[in-house]
Amino acid sequence: MGRMSEELPAYAEHVLEVAERIPPGRVMTYGDVAEWLGEGGPRQVGRVMALYGGSVPWWRVVRADGVPLPGHELRALEHYRAEATPLRLTGAGEARLDMRRARWDGAPGAPGQDGTRDEAHT
């Protein structure tokens, strides 16, 4: 992968690999990524995404409440709309991810996924 360097921590590399696997129009929460990897937790995944996530589809790794990343809402919403990611409007008219429909579990054969999964992370 072109974005990787020898100095990138192994855990960060794994998190970024998962982010790259999330199909367009789908999302995983920080906790989902940690659970899929079997190590770390939501805060560790969030830290990796904050430090290194600019080189991957960062908008597909999200908070569990469906609120777009603070400070990056407009850019994230542009990506969600371009990828037809399911959104909903709050009572105040603010866009949120429709987590029930947008969430991807990373399972082989899941809708929107090519069926491949790195066996090292099963």
Side-chain angles (χ1 to χ4, degrees), residues 1-121:
M1 290 181 210
R3 67 169 161 53
M4 297 296 170
S5 71
E6 294 302 317
E7 294 80 36
L8 190 65
Y11 183 72
E13 188 170 336
H14 296 308
V15 168
L16 298 178
E17 288 170 356
V18 173
E20 287 182 327
R21 292 173 178 269
I22 303 169
R26 304 300 296 274
V27 299
M28 290 179 89
T29 67
Y30 298 115
D32 292 341
V33 172
E35 183 179 331
W36 196 88
L37 288 172
E39 62 180 312
R43 289 178 188 239
Q44 289 82 8
V45 171
R47 181 76 173 146
V48 167
M49 293 304 295
L51 293 174
Y52 309 109
S55 63
V56 298
W58 54 266
W59 59 92
R60 296 181 193 154
V61 182
V62 302
R63 295 170 30 164
D65 62 5
V67 175
L69 185 63
H72 301 279
E73 299 94 343
L74 294 178
R75 285 183 50 219
L77 286 170
E78 288 174 11
H79 288 291
Y80 298 143
R81 289 183 177 118
E83 294 181 356
T85 307
L87 299 171
R88 64 179 179 80
L89 292 178
T90 66
E94 297 173 336
R96 298 284 185 266
L97 288 160
D98 183 339
M99 294 302 291
R100 185 180 54 79
R101 294 175 34 226
R103 201 169 194 173
W104 183 63
D105 67 4
Q113 206 249 0
D114 66 3
T116 62
R117 181 171 178 177
D118 183 352
E119 294 304 314
H121 296 117

